[in-house]
Amino acid sequence: MSDFKFADLNLCKELLKGVADLGFEEPSPIQAVAIPLVLAGRDMVGQAQTGTGKTAAFGLPVLERLNPRGKKVQALVLCPTRELAVQVAEEVSLLAAHLRGISVLPVYGGQSLDRQLRALERGVQFVVGTPGRVLDHLERGSLKLGALQTLVLDEADEMLDMGFRDDIESVLKAAPENCQKICFSATMPKDILALIQGHMRDPEFVRITRKELTVANVEQFYYEVQPYRKAEALCLVLDTCDFNKGIVFCSTKLGVDELATHLLACGYQADSLHGNLSQAQRDRVMGRFRSGGLELLIATDVAARGLDVDDVDLVLNYDVPFDVESYVHRIGRTGRAGKSGKAATFVTARELYKIRDISRYTKADIQRARLPSKREVSDLKTSRLLGEVLATAEAMKEERKDAQKIDRYEYLLESVSGGEHSERDIAGALLKMLVEREQIWPSPAELEAEKQAPPAEPGYAGRSAGKGASRGAGGKNTRKNGGMERLFFNIGSKARVTPGDFVGAITGETGLSGRIIGDIEIHDRFSFVEVPRDKAEEIMQAMNKTQIRGLRVAADIARPL
Ligand code: AMP
């Protein structure tokens, strides 16, 4: 964690607004160090992996230095893959959303050259591209670097591994000698240093150093999850963990608000805590959390700083923290005052290295844990419910013994039983109603059906799954249209996707005709697309490697619930 705020970094108010829109609360460690250096015009070599916030670390200061009136290319970022190029262009465009007259263009192989040529002709200031395609444009003369101010090599080690050394050399040579050069790389092998030597002027080497840190006496786990199944995984974990007070950490204010809304809709007593709250709002939330009126606090690192609650027994890192210090600080919110605590982190396959890093630097044993299955959750909820029923029966028996009288519930039972319905029938009906009302999911009947023909893992939306509003794959997804398969996509109208985006991505990535695509249903956060069953696997594989509107896509067969 840094002591800087974005407002301390000499960025214009339009960029600060872009940062706020993205929900970033404070600069990540690499941003705190790199932004002032790049703003000062220094050449820089940064050792940072993906997930550290490196895109904004160079994106923000480079944007700050652009001249919106100049229509020539002033900034060029080289990335190893088209996915990264699109992702970087997307993030830079979002950061630049309030700057007037700035255009950002991704250029990569596989995309229509004409479109890129037209855009370059119209004039853009910020180009993000793969080395091969950038060189292609340089050779055609469609991309000119005469006015280039900053050249960024992003994921330089990846680019070298992919054989782009000569292409990068050519771009470096084509750039003006006095242009600022920045290089980010996860590792710093000798060939990177050899590549940049001779092209950089007195570069500043930046690496976030880590202090030796030890972690409080807290049981630590991690769950490996698919990015689009995180919310579902969180609900499964919450439903099987015994806890009184828990804190769930997200990296952005936006993430905090979205998750708190989701958890509330799923029946948890949750509220958000982040830097946008007034002191009065903050006090109110904290008051409820302390008194037990809230079971879950969803917070950013900044908001949770200095948070002093003794009996937090669960910390969940919904997003992996940027650095080891934040991790230690987060999990230090539990296991206090001699009490025991648990901490779990949700990681995607791409983030596993961060857990290994944290484990190495803190010397903590962070165990990989298996996500509970829906059957385990259901069994646990059923046994909890039966436990409550038996405890109530016991208490009522005691009361009757003392009062020597029949209580009103017995009168009620007598009034409805006998004749057609035995007490056993009534008890069974009451249990059924309770199970359904408590939304123990899936219902015993569903589990029985599953035993006969086990379905693949469906979505899970915690305590209110029965309401269906926030299931990963909605209730209608069992529909099959002769020979067609329904695919579930993790993006929807919130990401501004249109049916055309799906058709374009599927036809573009697979070469199949758009005519084979059936119904397309776009919801807020997910969509369904019908495709021929015999092409479903091919389409899914292609879609899982691509992006739509700059977002990584996850496609899966829509499962019946
Ligand atoms: P990167 O390492 O650039 O790929 O960034 C990883 C993720 O962190 C991206 O989703 C960014 O939008 C997000 N991010 C970058 N900077 C911050 C920040 N200061 N606070 C919170 N999230 C951030």
Side-chain angles (χ1 to χ4, degrees):
M1 280 180 286
S2 68
D3 296 326
F4 282 110
K5 293 189 178 55
F6 276 107
D8 299 331
L9 288 172
N10 284 327
L11 297 166
C12 63
K13 62 178 189 313
E14 288 80 6
L15 282 176
L16 291 179
K17 225 162 155 217
V19 166
D21 286 354
L22 283 175
F24 298 175
E25 203 155 30
E26 66 169 2
S28 71
I30 192 77
Q31 290 163 359
V33 182
I35 291 174
L37 282 171
V38 180
L39 271 181
R42 291 288 303 271
D43 283 0
M44 196 199 96
V45 183
Q47 189 164 355
Q49 315 203 23
T50 178
T52 50
K54 65 183 166 59
T55 313
F58 63 76
L60 284 168
V62 169
L63 283 169
E64 176 77 40
R65 284 161 54 87
L66 290 186
N67 171 8
R69 279 183 298 277
K71 293 296 167 207
K72 295 192 175 140
V73 176
Q74 298 167 43
L76 172 64
V77 180
L78 293 185
C79 298
T81 62
R82 70 175 199 173
E83 283 77 19
L84 187 64
V86 170
Q87 201 178 305
V88 168
E90 175 90 2
E91 178 143 343
V92 170
S93 302
L94 290 172
L95 290 169
H98 298 281
L99 288 176
R100 279 170 173 265
I102 297 292
S103 313
V104 182
L105 179 73
V107 298
Y108 47 83
Q111 195 200 31
S112 137
L113 199 64
D114 279 352
R115 225 162 89 188
Q116 294 173 6
L117 289 173
R118 279 198 302 276
L120 285 167
E121 222 163 85
R122 275 198 304 274
V124 295
Q125 296 95 344
F126 201 125
V127 173
V128 186
T130 47
R133 184 53 71 99
V134 165
L135 201 61
D136 193 0
H137 280 293
L138 282 176
E139 282 163 2
R140 284 166 185 272
S142 43
L143 177 64
K144 297 190 178 70
L145 300 185
L148 195 73
Q149 284 179 14
T150 311
L151 173 64
V152 183
L153 308 181
D154 193 11
E155 302 203 353
D157 49 356
E158 281 282 311
M159 289 200 281
L160 290 191
D161 282 351
M162 291 171 72
F164 285 131
R165 164 179 277 282
D166 292 345
D167 291 356
I168 300 174
E169 276 284 1
S170 307
V171 177
L172 278 166
K173 281 193 191 121
E177 213 174 305
N178 60 354
C179 110
Q180 178 185 32
K181 299 187 184 77
I182 297 164
C183 169
F184 273 104
S185 188
T187 56
M188 241 357 121
K190 283 202 190 76
D191 50 354
I192 299 257
L193 300 172
L195 174 78
I196 53 185
Q197 228 163 33
H199 292 286
M200 285 193 166
R201 284 162 308 166
D202 185 23
E204 184 84 32
F205 284 80
V206 170
R207 187 173 168 210
I208 301 305
T209 52
R210 283 123 170 189
K211 291 183 223 130
E212 275 265 310
L213 289 156
T214 46
V215 169
N217 198 12
V218 175
E219 250 186 289
Q220 296 166 63
F221 310 93
Y222 73 91
Y223 297 99
E224 189 180 335
V225 292
Q226 287 165 299
Y228 64 101
R229 289 227 155 127
K230 255 164 90 172
E232 183 185 319
L234 176 68
C235 291
L236 285 167
V237 169
L238 286 173
D239 283 350
T240 43
C241 262
D242 259 331
F243 71 98
N244 288 316
K245 285 196 177 93
I247 306 183
V248 184
F249 282 97
C250 296
S251 58
T252 66
K253 293 183 264 195
L254 231 57
V256 162
D257 280 338
E258 277 183 13
L259 190 61
T261 309
H262 175 76
L263 290 176
L264 268 177
C266 290
Y268 303 92
Q269 295 158 312
D271 210 341
S272 11
L273 191 75
H274 56 60
N276 276 10
L277 302 188
S278 66
Q279 191 57 41
Q281 289 170 313
R282 198 186 148 95
D283 291 346
R284 216 165 24 243
V285 174
M286 285 312 299
R288 286 179 64 210
F289 189 53
R290 278 209 177 86
S291 67
L294 269 185
E295 54 182 344
L296 286 171
L297 197 64
I298 322 299
T300 54
D301 290 299
V302 177
R305 216 164 280 166
L307 197 136
D308 191 19
V309 182
D310 271 346
D311 48 352
V312 173
D313 45 3
L314 179 69
V315 166
L316 295 175
N317 294 314
Y318 188 70
D319 295 321
V320 190
F322 282 125
D323 59 349
V324 184
E325 282 92 336
S326 298
Y327 179 86
V328 173
H329 191 269
R330 286 179 181 189
I331 74 162
R333 302 300 95 205
T334 182
R336 287 153 62 112
K339 299 205 174 79
S340 64
K342 272 191 192 156
T345 305
F346 293 85
V347 278
T348 61
R350 281 171 65 90
E351 294 169 326
L352 280 172
Y353 77 89
K354 293 192 191 173
I355 283 291
R356 284 194 286 272
D357 257 19
I358 291 171
S359 181
R360 183 154 14 104
Y361 282 96
T362 57
K363 300 200 170 59
D365 184 18
I366 308 178
Q367 294 279 344
R368 184 188 171 124
R370 185 180 60 80
L371 274 177
S373 69
K374 59 184 197 271
R375 169 170 270 285
E376 284 164 333
V377 175
S378 168
D379 286 351
L380 193 78
K381 285 181 167 182
T382 310
S383 72
R384 275 188 200 144
L385 182 74
L386 289 178
E388 278 175 47
V389 170
L390 291 179
T392 311
E394 193 57 38
M396 286 170 76
K397 202 160 114 191
E398 286 300 310
E399 246 178 55
R400 271 201 306 271
K401 239 195 264 162
D402 291 346
Q404 297 288 319
K405 62 173 182 158
I406 297 182
D407 68 29
R408 56 186 295 241
Y409 299 104
E410 266 187 288
Y411 276 125
L412 280 176
L413 183 59
E414 273 178 13
S415 70
V416 290
S417 61
E420 274 183 44
H421 303 292
S422 66
E423 289 187 356
R424 187 192 162 103
D425 292 339
I426 305 287
L430 287 174
L431 277 181
K432 178 172 187 285
M433 284 164 65
L434 262 182
V435 162
E436 282 171 6
R437 257 178 226 171
E438 290 284 306
Q439 285 147 358
I440 291 180
W441 179 92
S443 71
E446 280 174 293
L447 282 175
E448 197 48 43
E450 182 192 305
K451 242 196 288 174
Q452 314 290 329
E457 195 76 8
Y460 179 76
R463 294 178 191 172
S464 72
K467 291 175 193 153
S470 45
R471 287 182 184 208
K476 285 205 285 170
N477 60 6
T478 45
R479 194 183 65 189
K480 290 270 164 67
N481 187 354
M484 298 292 271
E485 191 71 77
R486 224 159 127 76
L487 297 188
F488 167 78
F489 284 80
N490 63 329
I491 48 175
S493 52
K494 289 249 182 242
R496 298 194 296 275
V497 291
T498 61
D501 288 330
F502 286 112
V503 176
I506 292 173
T507 54
E509 294 297 325
T510 60
L512 295 166
S513 154
R515 278 200 295 264
I516 63 161
I517 299 171
D519 277 1
I520 299 181
E521 228 178 85
I522 299 187
H523 297 257
D524 272 7
R525 292 177 190 282
F526 56 86
S527 307
F528 295 113
V529 180
E530 269 185 356
V531 299
R533 189 161 303 141
D534 58 342
K535 299 277 185 288
E537 192 55 45
E538 180 190 348
I539 292 174
M540 245 163 35
Q541 280 190 11
M543 289 298 94
N544 282 324
K545 284 193 213 125
T546 193
Q547 300 199 339
I548 294 181
R549 301 231 160 214
L551 294 170
R552 217 165 282 254
V553 172
D556 203 352
I557 306 275
R559 306 284 180 206
L561 282 172

